[in-house]
Amino acid sequence: MARDRSGEEPDELQSVLDALDDADARTIIRGLEDPMTASEISERCDIPLSTTYRKLDLLTDASLLTEGTAIRADGHHATTYEVSFEAVRVLLTEGREFEVEIEGGEQGPDERLADIWSKVRRET
């Protein structure tokens, strides 16, 4: 039997709700005070590294974390993660549809440069 998807939530809303409903993902958000690598997050939050990677994917897909790059002199750059929001709001529109708003913090020049570098890395 086919499932009626007409009443389902939009992908963006659902990905945010799924991420915030996950206990490990919430632990990662609480533990990320500064940009950290997956290994550092795993250690700080006491979550297995394989699970940490899955939760980081969940959080970045929901736009709750941003990826950056730690530039190292030895050329072995590392991906870092940081919280990219200050508030998440779920709204009910006049059309009775749910909508999600993610309010982010202001980025400094170094964060904007790191974002650009991350995008370049993904494209190459």
Side-chain angles (χ1 to χ4, degrees):
M1 174 189 219
R3 194 169 160 192
D4 179 12
R5 297 186 176 271
S6 60
E8 290 188 17
E9 304 305 334
D11 289 342
E12 180 184 25
L13 173 62
Q14 193 60 55
S15 67
V16 170
L17 294 175
D18 289 345
L20 293 176
D21 188 44
D22 187 285
D24 287 335
R26 290 191 310 270
T27 299
I28 289 170
I29 291 170
R30 282 191 296 269
L32 262 173
E33 296 172 12
D34 296 311
M36 299 171 72
T37 65
S39 297
E40 293 167 336
I41 293 167
S42 174
E43 187 175 313
R44 176 176 281 178
C45 297
D46 196 30
I47 299 172
L49 188 58
S50 60
T51 301
T52 299
Y53 278 113
R54 285 194 310 274
K55 302 310 175 176
L56 291 172
D57 285 342
L58 179 70
L59 289 163
T60 54
D61 289 347
S63 300
L64 299 176
L65 295 184
T66 55
E67 290 183 18
T69 302
I71 308 296
R72 297 185 176 158
D74 64 4
H76 296 288
H77 309 310
T79 300
T80 60
Y81 300 87
E82 65 182 312
V83 175
S84 63
F85 71 96
E86 291 179 8
V88 174
R89 291 181 184 83
V90 176
L91 309 166
L92 185 61
T93 66
E94 288 182 22
R96 309 304 290 171
E97 298 291 328
F98 285 102
E99 188 176 281
V100 66
E101 287 182 4
I102 300 172
E103 182 181 315
E106 290 294 317
Q107 284 189 325
D110 57 333
E111 293 166 320
R112 287 193 302 271
L113 181 60
D115 286 346
I116 292 168
W117 180 253
S118 294
K119 290 174 187 172
V120 168
R121 273 191 57 210
R122 282 193 292 264
E123 291 180 14
T124 57

